Amino acid sequence: MRSFLALAILTFTVQSCLSISDSERVPCLPGTDESSCQNLGCIWEPTNDASPDCYLPQGYGYRATSDLYPVENGQAVDLERTGVLSMFGDDFDKLTLTFHEMDDDMLRIKIAPKDVERYEVPLTVQGSGKPLSAKKYSYAIENVPVFSFKVVRDSNGAVIFDTSLGGLTMADQFLQIAVKLASGNLYGFGEQEQPTLRHDMNWKTWGMFARDHGPDGNVNLYGVHPFYMNVESDGKTHGVLFLNSNAQEVLTTPAPGLVYRTIGGILDIYIYMGETPEQVVGQYTASVGRYEPPPYWVLGFQQCKWGYNTLDNMRAAWQRTLDSGIPFDAQWGDIDYMDRTLDFTTNKNEFGGLSAFVDEVHQADMKFVPILDPCISAGEPAGTYPPYDEGDKMDIWVKNASGDPLLAKVWPEDYCHFPDFFKKVTEEWWTKQLGEFHKAVEYDGIWIDMNEPANFVAGSVQGCQENKWNNPPYKPQTDGGDSLLDKTICMDAVQEPGLHYNVHSMYGWSEAQATNRALRTVLGKRPFILSRSTFVGSGKYTSHWLGDNFSGWDDMRYSIIGVLQYNMFGIPLVGADICGFVGNTTAEMCARWHQLGAFYPFSRNHNIIGALDQDPGSWGTDSLVARVARDAIKVKYSLLPYIYSQFYNSYNQGGTVARPLWHEFPTDEQALGVDNQFLLGPAVLISPILEEGAIRRTVYLPPGDDTIWYDAITGEKKSGLIEVESDLQNPSHTTPLHIRGGYILPIQDPETKNTVQQRATRALSLLVYLDSKSEARGNLYLDDGESDNFNLYSQFDFQAAPGVMELETVMNNYDDAQNWRIDFIRINGVQDPVGKVEINGEATNLFNYYPDMQILDILPQNLAITEASIITWQPDQP
């Protein structure tokens, strides 16, 4: 041990001032010029590119003062700070780094001050609890020139997490770790409106701090998800979570690498080994919480507008959508339904008949979802507004530094208080208010907004104290100028876990958790919650929409990236406001957006007060927009049994619902950069037209020895780069779709008004798309679409091989499954003419073979889905 430390000290002395390559520099903050840089003790070397001119010397950081020593479920090492260089002061001199071996494919690395209590995120990240048996990783430490460590994938020797770039910092309000990555194929970190799915590695900084700000370039938005995925050179993929809820940022570097910074807590890092991208997401969501299959109706089309202003206008929008023949499942209400924007009220003048209208909506087998904002008005006369009176009595409010309820200004006319949803008593209050509101308006789900938390004044009505929490020494690259207080509450406000400074970005998470449990009590069924602000693990409780987007072509394109990222983050039910929220759309843009948005997992048309109506029927029931929306939405409805099954697969096995091509083709260099197409599940590829005036686009269909792609309309086989056409003026054209060979899709007839009526037919078709081996597989998940007892379901697996297809019942606990039947089967890719078909050993002549298209259609007669069946086909006999 003595020689190990002596070598480290000698090397530190020699190398502390050596130059570092431009791509591997770690910026020295806040050095902005030569003088300030050198005064800090950093190196000043200007460059002609985006590399930092002022950077940390190699000797900066910590060194090990012990070897690795055993601890429960892992090993630890003690560290001591080198030198006196301090960027923002209050550095901790002694640290302990612990490797917790949580699972064979999951490693936790915790770096914290030694013998100092620090804030840690109040969220449990879980391993499987199983003993390690075939660990996929190893790790090692170095002490030259300063302490660093590496995590290695054992199967291929790839170094997947390497801190040898240096720069490790652990100060009271500035924490930093720099990482050299396995490759530049980096994805994740949110929430922002990122222009590409794969990160730009040329010194790009992304801030993460929950904020009321619409998608608009490099700005921190509503949610915080410090999780990334990195594809290694051989296609194997791993994921990393930095579990931290303070204001934070990440800087990408061309090393390739990243520098992660935060201003509180500890460095708490979780590595997920994969190996496939979908396995990474599955491991991540298994540890932080998975999204349950949503109520079935939520997958249908929905619409809303902030600015109906009257019930008559809301009803008119609802009716004209129905009159347009568009499948339609839910009408929503924005804040204009409320009495003076007070939660749990309705405007008796303009929306006096809302309850009766909701009853009418229900009679049409549809649903209603209202909005709620968290800030509760404190200005109503005593005894007239129970939500405030009861909340005040139960002491549920977020407090200011003096211990009084913090005064904010949001939508209500008077000042308001924010409930502290971390308190158990607040959840009791929230459940009661939701229950009383449901007696007045029988809603079917709840939309929670403004929960970053958003505030129309900086900090509070009374201002905030001058202290290190409200004015930290370093502010990550977040919007709002030099202040963290802009558009939110004081950082020294007090909540149940402690300072708001620490838990700010978890406010939406805490509200979603309370709302989820409350709705289970109030509704007695599977809850549906849509939340604007989200955090790590929010997918266990809520869905998300991408916020107050703009009616712009770029916004439409970037929405695909947001949907894909949120699926990586474990929130698969996500979508953007179709046609855009802010501004006036055009007929062409709205039509194209419906061609895309129909296939968002969460599909809703919504726009802002003062903007022109943009629901599909508002353009005219026989208009271009109505026709295009109707055609696209019908295709989505036909796919709902397949899509719902993907949600079950995501919940049961992990993985995404909407996914990028590289999740299925991680070794395909071109697929790694595609972000204007996306898959639903592994099989259905959506490639929308995203440019104004365009009727054609290039589509990438990854080729491969076993890979076949089928045009969803014509059945033609395609691969590689192809051009597709979708002309809005041609009624036969719709969203370009391709189906991947090797998969079986359960579908339903979309010629119904909504999902309730569609499901009532209990009739299914199976679309089989054979791969080059004439094989395919698929599954179907069935339940009642609303029960929160997930034991009451049925699952069926489908397998196809040359000349045969088998239908197998895996689970059958859903009683109504016995009434479901298969009345049509289409098999694509049958190369030889078919002369004989048998169903369970009995010949049938109810089939047709189309040699030009290599399609075999079979018409079973009331084939029960619960019946284990074998279907065979044989060639014509000579």
Side-chain angles (χ1 to χ4, degrees):
M1 180 64 191
R2 188 173 301 166
S3 60
F4 172 68
L5 293 178
L7 176 61
I9 293 169
L10 175 62
T11 306
F12 164 72
T13 303
V14 172
Q15 295 192 4
S16 61
C17 295
L18 293 181
S19 181
I20 300 172
S21 67
D22 291 356
S23 66
E24 296 193 351
R25 295 180 177 187
V26 177
C28 176
L29 304 174
T32 56
D33 55 30
E34 183 173 5
S35 176
S36 62
C37 181
Q38 293 180 347
N39 286 340
L40 284 166
C42 295
I43 300 173
W44 177 262
E45 286 185 355
T47 67
N48 295 320
D49 56 26
S51 304
D53 296 334
C54 181
Y55 62 94
L56 293 168
Q58 284 188 323
Y60 173 87
Y62 289 79
R63 59 184 175 85
T65 57
S66 72
D67 288 322
L68 285 169
Y69 55 87
V71 294
E72 185 178 3
N73 299 321
Q75 299 184 83
V77 61
D78 295 325
L79 309 178
E80 187 173 89
R81 190 160 74 101
T82 64
V84 296
L85 194 166
S86 177
M87 289 185 277
F88 296 98
D90 293 327
D91 294 76
F92 293 103
D93 290 329
K94 295 183 178 181
L95 311 178
T96 298
L97 182 150
T98 307
F99 296 98
H100 293 280
E101 299 171 4
M102 298 186 68
D103 265 325
D104 287 334
D105 47 26
M106 181 179 174
L107 173 67
R108 180 188 187 189
I109 302 159
K110 180 179 179 180
I111 308 174
K114 192 174 183 65
D115 301 324
V116 176
E117 185 174 343
R118 294 281 287 176
Y119 163 77
E120 297 187 29
V121 176
L123 185 157
T124 301
V125 179
Q126 298 178 323
S128 67
K130 299 176 182 178
L132 275 62
S133 59
K135 196 172 58 161
K136 297 179 180 178
Y137 55 84
S138 56
Y139 49 85
I141 63 173
E142 296 284 345
N143 224 22
V144 177
V146 289
F147 174 81
S148 66
F149 65 90
K150 296 179 180 179
V151 179
V152 177
R153 183 187 298 281
D154 288 342
S155 65
N156 61 3
V159 178
I160 62 172
F161 199 90
D162 178 2
T163 67
S164 62
L165 292 175
L168 178 63
T169 304
M170 179 71 71
D172 184 36
Q173 290 183 274
F174 184 80
L175 293 73
Q176 173 178 277
I177 189 168
V179 182
K180 188 180 290 187
L181 301 171
S183 81
N185 293 313
L186 175 69
Y187 308 84
F189 292 115
E191 177 182 14
Q192 313 90 14
E193 185 183 59
Q194 296 177 14
T196 58
L197 184 62
R198 180 169 56 184
H199 275 285
D200 177 356
M201 303 303 293
N202 189 31
W203 304 103
K204 184 75 172 178
T205 302
W206 298 98
M208 290 170 282
F209 182 70
R211 177 173 172 79
D212 172 14
H213 197 297
D216 187 20
N218 186 7
V219 176
N220 53 298
L221 304 181
Y222 317 102
V224 169
H225 295 273
F227 172 75
Y228 74 81
M229 296 173 67
N230 192 207
V231 183
E232 299 151 35
S233 60
D234 62 355
K236 290 184 174 64
T237 305
H238 62 273
V240 175
L241 167 67
F242 294 98
L243 183 61
N244 189 284
S245 56
N246 293 90
Q248 56 195 276
E249 67 186 14
V250 63
L251 167 69
T252 61
T253 78
L258 61 84
V259 182
Y260 173 79
R261 306 183 184 109
T262 183
I263 60 171
I266 63 173
L267 292 173
D268 200 2
I269 304 163
Y270 295 81
I271 300 178
Y272 305 89
M273 299 300 298
E275 297 174 342
T276 70
E278 288 295 294
Q279 287 174 337
V280 172
V281 176
Q283 292 159 9
Y284 174 59
T285 57
S287 72
V288 301
R290 285 182 179 159
Y291 190 72
E292 296 173 345
Y296 198 91
W297 60 266
V298 174
L299 302 182
F301 177 64
Q302 340 238 335
Q303 72 178 24
C304 184
K305 180 181 174 69
W306 174 29
Y308 287 130
N309 294 327
T310 69
L311 181 59
D312 286 344
N313 289 336
M314 178 185 283
R315 180 190 298 275
W318 175 70
Q319 187 63 54
R320 64 186 176 237
T321 303
L322 295 175
D323 292 343
S324 299
I326 295 171
F328 177 27
D329 264 86
Q331 177 64 53
W332 291 53
D334 211 316
I335 58 174
D336 45 317
Y337 82 82
M338 299 178 185
D339 176 19
R340 295 171 294 125
T341 59
L342 300 175
D343 275 354
F344 308 112
T345 68
T346 58
N347 183 328
K348 300 303 181 185
N349 294 321
E350 306 301 338
F351 284 85
L354 182 61
S355 179
F357 171 67
V358 171
D359 290 343
E360 187 178 347
V361 168
H362 288 157
Q363 289 166 11
D365 294 322
M366 298 177 66
K367 310 297 180 183
F368 181 76
V369 181
I371 194 171
L372 290 173
D373 295 328
C375 209
I376 303 297
S377 176
E380 296 300 297
T384 65
Y385 186 43
Y388 175 79
D389 295 332
E390 294 173 9
D392 202 47
K393 183 178 180 180
M394 297 171 74
D395 191 26
I396 67 169
W397 312 120
V398 174
K399 304 296 179 63
N400 62 24
S402 301
D404 299 318
L406 184 141
L407 270 181
K409 181 68 180 77
V410 195
W411 292 117
E413 297 171 356
D414 298 298
Y415 299 142
C416 55
H417 299 325
F418 282 101
D420 181 1
F421 288 102
F422 281 103
K423 289 184 174 181
K424 184 66 177 175
V425 68
T426 305
E427 185 176 320
E428 296 171 5
W429 165 84
W430 190 241
T431 302
K432 181 180 179 183
Q433 305 312 315
L434 285 167
E436 293 299 317
F437 187 44
H438 191 258
K439 293 175 184 176
V441 178
E442 292 190 6
Y443 58 81
D444 301 282
I446 288 293
W447 172 18
I448 51 177
D449 193 15
M450 306 292 287
N451 54 353
E452 291 71 34
N455 188 5
F456 294 165
V457 297
S460 80
V461 172
Q462 299 160 321
C464 304
Q465 295 183 7
E466 288 289 331
N467 56 39
K468 68 178 186 177
W469 311 117
N470 293 320
N471 299 283
Y474 180 74
K475 176 181 174 291
Q477 184 172 298
T478 57
D479 200 40
D482 295 330
S483 174
L484 290 175
L485 308 179
D486 186 60
K487 287 192 173 184
T488 193
I489 66 176
C490 302
M491 293 297 108
D492 62 354
V494 179
Q495 296 190 243
E496 184 76 4
L499 290 173
H500 187 74
Y501 178 87
N502 291 321
V503 298
H504 166 83
S505 294
M506 296 187 74
Y507 191 89
W509 177 90
S510 65
E511 185 186 16
Q513 186 181 61
T515 307
N516 186 290
R517 288 195 284 255
L519 288 191
R520 290 182 193 275
T521 298
V522 172
L523 302 181
K525 60 181 69 173
R526 198 179 313 173
F528 168 63
I529 299 104
L530 182 76
S531 178
R532 191 167 75 172
S533 185
T534 60
F535 184 71
V536 173
S538 283
K540 185 176 180 179
Y541 309 107
T542 185
S543 59
H544 175 64
W545 92 106
L546 299 178
D548 299 344
N549 60 350
F550 292 83
S551 295
W553 290 92
D554 283 345
D555 295 79
M556 177 168 60
R557 181 185 180 280
Y558 297 156
S559 72
I560 297 175
I561 296 168
V563 166
L564 296 178
Q565 286 180 325
Y566 262 88
N567 271 262
M568 294 179 199
F569 299 153
I571 306 180
L573 187 62
V574 60
D577 284 346
I578 295 172
C579 304
F581 177 72
V582 179
N584 290 321
T585 188
T586 65
E588 181 190 5
M589 183 191 302
C590 200
R592 288 300 189 196
W593 212 320
H594 272 287
Q595 285 189 328
L596 162 62
F599 299 96
Y600 293 150
F602 172 69
S603 182
R604 184 186 68 167
N605 182 313
H606 178 225
N607 71 324
I608 195 171
I609 192 169
L612 298 175
D613 289 346
Q614 65 181 32
D615 57 273
S618 68
W619 306 84
T621 56
D622 296 320
S623 66
L624 170 72
V625 174
R627 172 178 59 78
V628 170
R630 179 172 57 246
D631 292 347
I633 292 168
K634 283 186 175 181
V635 176
K636 164 77 170 291
Y637 271 66
S638 71
L639 291 168
L640 287 184
Y642 167 78
I643 295 171
Y644 191 56
S645 298
Q646 298 309 309
F647 273 95
Y648 168 74
N649 294 341
S650 174
Y651 173 62
N652 186 48
Q653 305 163 10
T656 60
V657 173
R659 64 191 64 161
L661 275 173
W662 68 265
H663 270 224
E664 296 294 324
F665 301 92
T667 61
D668 186 312
E669 287 294 326
Q670 186 151 346
L672 291 169
V674 173
D675 53 23
N676 59 5
Q677 306 168 232
F678 64 99
L679 288 158
L680 289 176
V684 179
L685 180 64
I686 294 95
S687 306
I689 303 287
L690 300 168
E691 295 181 2
E692 185 175 10
I695 64 170
R696 297 179 183 85
R697 64 158 293 170
T698 299
V699 167
Y700 184 58
L701 305 175
D705 293 339
D706 298 331
T707 305
I708 296 174
W709 294 94
Y710 295 84
D711 185 291
I713 303 299
T714 67
E716 292 180 273
K717 297 178 184 179
K718 305 281 187 178
S719 69
L721 280 172
I722 66 168
E723 187 175 82
V724 297
E725 180 174 315
S726 177
D727 187 346
L728 293 176
Q729 303 304 321
N730 187 333
S732 67
H733 287 190
T734 187
T735 312
L737 298 182
H738 292 86
I739 313 299
R740 183 179 170 197
Y743 292 92
I744 300 173
L745 278 56
I747 68 168
Q748 276 196 289
D749 185 349
E751 298 299 329
T752 53
K753 292 182 178 180
N754 51 57
T755 57
V756 173
Q757 295 179 16
Q758 184 185 44
R759 283 173 57 92
T761 68
R762 295 179 175 83
L764 290 163
S765 298
L766 297 181
L767 302 183
V768 183
Y769 296 88
L770 300 175
D771 62 16
S772 62
K773 298 178 181 178
S774 294
E775 297 176 347
R777 66 188 186 277
N779 75 307
L780 172 69
Y781 172 80
L782 271 182
D783 63 11
D784 68 0
E786 62 177 17
S787 170
D788 65 353
N789 184 346
F790 287 100
N791 292 317
L792 302 178
Y793 75 95
S794 295
Q795 182 186 349
F796 309 95
D797 283 357
F798 316 123
Q799 295 281 344
V804 63
M805 183 169 73
E806 297 186 29
L807 285 61
E808 178 187 3
T809 300
V810 178
M811 176 69 69
N812 192 18
N813 286 340
Y814 172 47
D815 290 342
D816 192 50
Q818 64 185 342
N819 298 315
W820 287 66
R821 67 189 187 279
I822 297 171
D823 58 12
F824 179 74
I825 299 172
R826 168 165 287 184
I827 305 172
N828 296 267
V830 179
Q831 298 183 20
D832 297 322
V834 174
K836 182 179 181 180
V837 172
E838 291 184 351
I839 301 176
N840 295 325
E842 294 187 8
T844 177
N845 60 3
L846 297 176
F847 71 91
N848 287 295
Y849 178 73
Y850 305 94
D852 292 343
M853 302 175 68
Q854 297 186 339
I855 287 175
L856 172 63
D857 286 347
I858 303 172
L859 298 173
Q861 296 295 291
N862 293 315
L863 181 63
I865 188 69
T866 53
E867 182 180 351
S869 299
I870 298 177
I871 300 168
T872 61
W873 57 95
Q874 299 174 16
D876 273 327
Q877 296 300 319

